[in-house]
Amino acid sequence: MFGCECLCWNSIADISPPELKTFTLPAPIPEWPTGQGFATRRIKLGELEVAEITNFEFIWSFKLSNIRRNGASFYRPVNIPDGFFSFGHYCQWSDKPLLGFVLVARDMVSPKEKAVELAQSPPLLKPVDYTLVWSSNDGGKDTNEQPGYFWLPQPPEGYKALGFVVTNKSNKPVLEEVRCVRENLTDECETCGLLGEASSEFLKLRLRVWNTRPCHRGMLGRGVSVGTFFCSSVPRVSEELHIRCLKNLDPSFPAMPNLNQIHGLINHYGPMIYFHPSEIYLPSSVAWFFKNGALLYRAGDSTGEPIDPTGSNLPGGGSNDGEFWIDFPSDNQREIIMRGDLDSAELYAHVKPALGGTFTDIAMWGFCPFNGPATLKVGLVNVPLKRIGEHVGDWEHYTLRLSNFTGKLHSIYFSQHSGGQWINACELEYVEGNKAVVYSSKSSHASYPHPGTYIQGSERLGIGVRNDCAGSEFSLDSSVRYQVLSAEYLQGEVVEVCWLQFMREWGPTIVYDSRTELDKVIQHLPLALKYSVEAVFNKLPVELYGEEGPTGPKEKNNWVGDERW
């Protein structure tokens, strides 16, 4: 699991194991095109080879007092291949089907290499001991509830632990249960999403449990998530955890898909995008945008230059220096371009390594010639805003995260204005087999996993900008209407289009004072609401006001970095 909502509730031990249901996609996973190490179920990270374990046996769980969740459960990986070793146990919500994994590893150093490099310590060693971190039965008395014990492996000198071990008995786990990893084969990790808190019956200590993720992520990150959790009974956790993650030392990323496999993945998983039935500003292809009148402007020159359909005459490289931008023509063609052309629309795929090359991220970028004005929601009242939110050239995206062990869809990132959210595969809607559904919000084109109204602001107060999502006849099947835009790791196999190198703005800087318009709206509200609305809007990102034109995909932080968690 890579991130979840943060919860912090009282709990009680659960003596009955939850019903184990493993999540499966609606349709079987196909045989992918052959080549390289993709979907071979094992990945080489240098001196270690890792495999993904998704079979578990239940150990212990705790219930949460809040009705929204049934609690968290802890599992031990089973059916580990011969010669492979575990790093720790797995934890997830009790009311979710099993979707996660833990990695197991084996030493890839040959006996001949070991004989030559006698001074080099082996990649894997057993822990020398275990430290009890927390127990639900610290008083040692008999209770009707099954106790839980949490153990931290103590690594030999020069080695690091990568996870925790959970037992339902007070005896220390056997040293053979897990392995520790030589320090130079590991990377730093951090907590990601509080799973909950378990109470200690006697010492009144609370155990807090988190998911973990590598600190160094993104396209160039080498950190590899091993699927284990972090736990602590200390109220304040230090920045440096007692456990680490793995590090991929193979620069070739051998498990990444080749070009034929990329096409197979998009054809199989490419989502269906639904636009709101009242959407006015639909997407188009970039080529249609250029051919139908978009112009390139240069600072100091009021006359725009027509743009070649491939963007070959756009200035490439450099940075967003304000010297060039794209805008609509001033004639009647402007209204035609603003509304887009769904028949020409397509998605643009950027394929890149994730989590040290154990996953593939396929970021699917869509282009809309125009982003429409926002609608303010204040309780039961909706206030259409005249120009706030408007801008030329709207780039939006969602990202598929796929396991390089199997090619299975793990999750999708839904980009929403200046942030977004990861949604696990088991929580998505599907059509036509394994094609997930992406809902594009009216006017602003942010991505959401389900229909409804989403508030950008304060959901609790019901104050903010509306993002309305619904299914309609306006749809785009990204599994067939796409092109692979970039895949840097394939080293030249994918030739990037000219317009991708345009690092300037795809729309002009807007000169109106959007804050003045907002202040006018606020002044007409009841006094009891004025301060709440103003406080919410002061926290909204400046992107909403659209005072600068948006840049293209390659200028976005997530082009090289990781999606915002």
Side-chain angles (χ1 to χ4, degrees), residues 90-411:
Y90 172 71
C91 175
Q92 71 160 53
W93 298 116
S94 300
D95 60 353
K96 295 292 183 184
L98 282 170
L99 176 69
F101 66 92
V102 294
L103 297 188
V104 295
R106 69 173 179 176
D107 184 346
M108 287 297 292
V109 181
S110 67
K112 183 177 180 180
E113 290 173 320
K114 290 178 181 178
V116 173
E117 300 180 10
L118 293 176
Q120 178 75 346
S121 302
L124 303 172
L125 278 182
K126 292 183 290 186
V128 296
D129 200 359
Y130 291 93
T131 297
L132 182 63
V133 174
W134 181 87
S135 170
S136 64
N137 189 15
D138 294 311
K141 298 180 181 180
D142 292 333
T143 69
N144 293 327
E145 295 178 353
Q146 186 179 46
Y149 301 87
F150 289 72
W151 307 88
L152 175 64
Q154 295 302 302
E157 185 176 356
Y159 288 75
K160 295 291 184 180
L162 273 63
F164 290 79
V165 175
V166 183
T167 64
N168 50 33
K169 300 184 184 302
S170 60
N171 308 85
K172 285 185 179 181
V174 296
L175 297 180
E176 286 287 342
E177 180 71 16
V178 294
R179 289 293 187 271
C180 300
V181 181
R182 200 172 69 234
E183 186 171 3
N184 70 320
L185 304 181
T186 69
D187 207 351
E188 296 175 347
C189 66
E190 62 187 22
T191 58
C192 167
L194 182 65
L195 287 167
E197 292 188 349
S199 301
S200 173
E201 183 178 355
F202 294 94
L203 296 184
K204 306 303 179 184
L205 292 175
R206 293 183 181 275
L207 180 77
R208 296 195 293 170
V209 183
W210 294 265
N211 285 313
T212 62
R213 64 186 182 191
C215 293
H216 305 126
R217 301 184 302 278
M219 186 170 73
L220 305 178
R222 296 285 173 170
V224 173
S225 174
V226 296
T228 56
F229 62 89
F230 178 79
C231 63
S232 175
S233 60
V234 179
R236 187 179 182 86
V237 178
S238 62
E239 291 185 4
E240 184 174 351
L241 305 184
H242 300 304
I243 63 172
R244 308 264 287 189
C245 64
L246 287 174
K247 187 175 186 178
N248 189 352
L249 298 181
D250 189 332
S252 67
F253 288 132
M256 290 295 293
N258 60 29
L259 192 53
N260 287 334
Q261 291 164 339
I262 289 171
H263 287 296
L265 290 166
I266 297 176
N267 295 157
H268 187 69
Y269 291 117
M272 183 71 74
I273 305 173
Y274 286 109
F275 299 90
H276 195 274
S278 300
E279 182 62 78
I280 298 173
Y281 306 109
L282 290 164
S284 75
S285 69
V286 172
W288 182 92
F289 178 59
F290 292 160
K291 285 189 290 187
N292 281 270
L295 300 173
L296 173 67
Y297 286 86
R298 181 192 297 266
D301 188 349
S302 61
T303 303
E305 174 187 348
I307 304 172
D308 181 83
T310 65
S312 61
N313 60 324
L314 292 172
S319 61
N320 183 20
D321 53 13
E323 289 297 310
F324 297 90
W325 64 90
I326 297 173
D327 198 1
F328 297 146
S330 57
D331 56 20
N332 294 336
Q333 189 68 12
R334 178 184 182 90
E335 294 295 325
I336 296 174
I337 303 176
M338 287 176 65
R339 293 177 178 270
D341 181 66
L342 188 58
D343 289 340
S344 73
E346 58 187 354
L347 277 295
Y348 303 99
H350 177 212
V351 188
K352 54 185 178 178
L355 299 174
T358 54
F359 285 82
T360 292
D361 276 1
I362 303 180
M364 305 286 282
W365 291 88
F367 177 74
C368 291
F370 193 72
N371 191 97
T375 298
L376 172 64
K377 179 177 173 61
V378 183
L380 299 177
V381 178
N382 296 309
V383 183
L385 301 175
K386 295 180 180 179
R387 298 197 65 185
I388 292 179
E390 285 189 350
H391 59 80
V392 175
D394 187 28
W395 281 103
E396 300 289 347
H397 78 283
Y398 58 84
T399 298
L400 306 174
R401 176 156 289 179
L402 305 149
S403 169
N404 286 348
F405 291 97
T406 61
K408 184 178 179 181
L409 176 67
H410 182 276
S411 53

Side-chain angles (χ1 to χ4, degrees), residues 425-497:
C426 63
E427 299 174 297
L428 299 171
E429 295 180 17
Y430 294 91
V431 295
E432 300 178 18
N434 293 336
K435 296 179 182 179
V437 175
V438 174
Y439 292 93
S440 177
S441 62
K442 182 178 178 292
S443 295
S444 66
H445 313 122
S447 300
Y448 292 90
H450 304 289
T453 298
Y454 300 83
I455 302 299
Q456 184 186 7
S458 173
E459 289 275 4
R460 182 179 63 84
L461 297 175
I463 299 173
V465 172
R466 290 179 63 108
N467 289 272
D468 293 299
C469 300
S472 76
E473 62 181 8
F474 302 134
S475 64
L476 177 57
D477 185 352
S478 67
S479 71
V480 294
R481 293 171 60 180
Y482 73 93
Q483 64 171 286
V484 178
L485 191 65
S486 180
E488 291 92 340
Y489 71 92
L490 290 178
Q491 299 180 350
E493 286 189 51
V494 177
V495 179
E496 296 182 352
V497 293

